[in-house]
Amino acid sequence: MTASRSFLLICTVGIFCFISYNMVRMPVLALFAESLGAGPERIGLIVSVSTLTGVLLKLPSGALSDIYGRRFLLRIGVVAFGLPPFLYPFITDLNTLTALRFVHGLATAIFAPSALATVAELYRERRGAALGTYTACTQSGALLGPFIGGYLVYAAGFNWSFVTAGIFGCVAIVLFYSLHLDVATPRVQQKGMQPLLADMWKGFVVVARNRKVLITSSTDGAKMIANGALMAFLPLYGVAAGLNPGEVGLLFTVQAATSFFSKPIMGRVSDRMGRQPLIVVGLLICAATFVCMPHVALFPVLLLLSAGFGFGEAVVSSSSSALVADSSEFKTLGAGMGMQGTIMDIGHASGPLLAGVLIERMSYSSAFAIIAGIQLVAAAAFWLTMRNK
């Protein structure tokens, strides 16, 4: 299989995987937990626990892909997308639902670092464009999954939504296992747990000493703080400002759509202009649109701000993943992408927690201003540090 066909395969599999994952994730999961008697705090835990899986496992899974090859980890990851949705209809208590969410989080924790490393290896000269296109494909899941899942819950109930999500995941499994993914990956044959752990530790050490990877990943994590805060509190602010739930949902659709269409374009721009300036510009756009949101109540203006944040997010993401790949050694490329995913998940999980504490003690405008300030500090620190290097 040529590089272009392998790339088309990984993008197509990514679309079906993330449609399946997002069908379960939003808005179905919160509604399902509520139907089982969960209060707001428990719903927050259930929604975030799959991100915790990524925090714990993305770096180890990326390092394992450096040792055993990307295809091995991708095979496990695609199965983790396809099978768990079929278990949700049998859930009757919140503890079991929490445990299943942790298991379901294995999907992105295992699949994402290996998929990003695979794309980076297939297109070493045009990484920005390739990674932008791939992440745009996965972003389509954030567009279609919630729409399909929410409609099925409304029309037919939770079980139909879960089963349909499982079908999308199984399509991804069939596609991946029936077609051969041809990508050159480092592969070390070792026996026993001790050599395996030793190789993983070597990958961790190399990545941990790579300042460019850590700085870029931390900058991306700062962006995800704002992203997580929006996911948790933009709906509450929108309803308080007089929007109906459908209009609030459209804000997220516009944000995701803008990011979807912008990522491939901005990836190509980063290949030509360089990664670092675009990361700074993207963070500035995110901060500017984010800080304005709690000062606006008009739906058209909020749509425009949501689109602007989605564009800024696309500018940062399409450049940061390529810069991490550029900065990683070939033998630790998977670990580098895993490190980036881990730090991003930390930011994404901490965003709702930080915003909640600030909003409870201050106001929406003050809380959003502080989080926007974090984006500005991250942009300045990234630019100064990378310029010195």
Side-chain angles (χ1 to χ4, degrees):
M1 182 180 289
T2 64
S4 59
R5 290 185 63 189
S6 293
F7 179 66
L8 180 61
L9 167 63
I10 201 72
C11 286
T12 304
V13 170
I15 290 172
F16 281 98
C17 283
F18 281 89
I19 289 176
S20 171
Y21 192 74
N22 283 282
M23 279 185 67
V24 174
R25 190 180 184 190
M26 51 185 183
V28 175
L29 180 60
L31 297 173
F32 182 61
E34 185 181 46
S35 73
L36 296 178
E41 291 184 359
R42 189 61 185 270
I43 290 174
L45 173 63
I46 291 170
V47 171
S48 65
V49 72
S50 58
T51 305
L52 177 61
T53 315
V55 171
L56 296 174
L57 297 180
K58 275 188 177 177
L59 178 56
S61 70
L64 283 172
S65 78
D66 291 329
I67 299 170
Y68 289 110
R70 318 294 180 211
R71 192 181 302 114
F72 175 72
L73 271 295
L74 289 172
R75 284 174 176 172
I76 299 174
V78 76
V79 171
F81 274 110
L83 298 186
F86 293 109
L87 301 177
Y88 284 91
F90 300 99
I91 299 296
T92 57
D93 66 273
L94 296 174
N95 290 334
T96 307
L97 179 59
T98 304
L100 180 56
R101 283 304 298 163
F102 187 86
V103 173
H104 202 174
L106 291 172
T108 55
I110 295 174
F111 185 88
S114 296
L116 289 169
T118 298
V119 172
E121 287 168 348
L122 288 171
Y123 292 94
R124 299 185 189 182
E125 301 298 324
R126 293 180 286 124
R127 279 175 171 166
L131 288 167
T133 300
Y134 169 73
T135 54
C137 289
T138 60
Q139 188 84 39
S140 68
L143 283 169
L144 297 175
F147 174 77
I148 298 171
Y151 175 77
L152 286 174
V153 168
Y154 173 76
F158 290 111
N159 288 352
W160 277 100
S161 182
F162 293 138
V163 171
T164 305
I167 292 173
F168 274 103
C170 287
V171 171
I173 294 174
V174 171
L175 284 173
F176 188 83
Y177 277 80
S178 61
L179 300 175
H180 181 68
L181 179 66
D182 185 17
V183 57
T185 58
R187 190 176 181 86
V188 179
Q189 296 291 343
Q190 294 280 12
K191 294 182 179 180
M193 183 61 67
Q194 186 172 353
L196 170 63
L197 294 176
D199 279 338
M200 287 181 64
W201 179 251
K202 289 178 184 177
F204 294 163
V205 171
V206 171
V207 171
R209 290 176 177 174
N210 191 324
R211 290 182 63 196
K212 282 190 175 182
V213 170
L214 293 178
I215 293 166
T216 305
S217 300
S218 299
T219 305
D220 218 351
K223 176 209 68 180
M224 293 304 294
I225 293 176
N227 185 286
L230 279 186
M231 183 178 293
F233 292 101
L234 182 58
L236 299 180
Y237 172 75
V239 171
L243 277 60
N244 63 54
E247 290 173 328
V248 173
L250 190 57
L251 295 178
F252 289 103
T253 299
V254 168
Q255 177 188 330
T258 306
S259 182
F260 171 79
F261 288 110
S262 300
K263 280 182 178 179
I265 298 171
M266 298 313 301
R268 293 184 180 92
V269 173
S270 77
D271 287 333
R272 297 176 182 178
M273 295 182 57
R275 323 292 189 200
Q276 298 175 23
L278 289 181
I279 291 174
V280 174
V281 170
L283 280 173
L284 295 178
I285 295 172
C286 288
T289 52
F290 186 85
V291 75
C292 291
M293 288 184 181
H295 298 282
V296 174
L298 294 176
F299 179 57
V301 181
L302 282 172
L303 278 177
L304 182 62
L305 291 173
S306 295
F309 186 88
F311 176 71
E313 187 179 31
V315 174
V316 175
S317 298
S318 57
S319 300
S320 61
S321 295
L323 183 56
V324 168
D326 294 342
S327 305
S328 300
E329 297 180 18
F330 178 72
K331 292 184 179 180
T332 59
L333 183 55
M337 305 311 290
M339 174 68 79
Q340 183 190 23
T342 297
I343 295 176
M344 285 177 63
D345 280 349
I346 292 173
H348 196 251
S350 61
L353 299 176
L354 175 61
V357 171
L358 292 174
I359 290 170
E360 184 176 352
R361 288 165 172 74
M362 301 177 182
S363 63
Y364 277 100
S365 58
S366 298
F368 275 46
I370 291 174
I371 294 175
I374 293 175
Q375 318 304 300
L376 297 178
V377 171
F382 173 79
W383 180 255
L384 292 173
T385 305
M386 299 300 280
R387 186 181 64 175
N388 290 337
K389 288 184 68 63

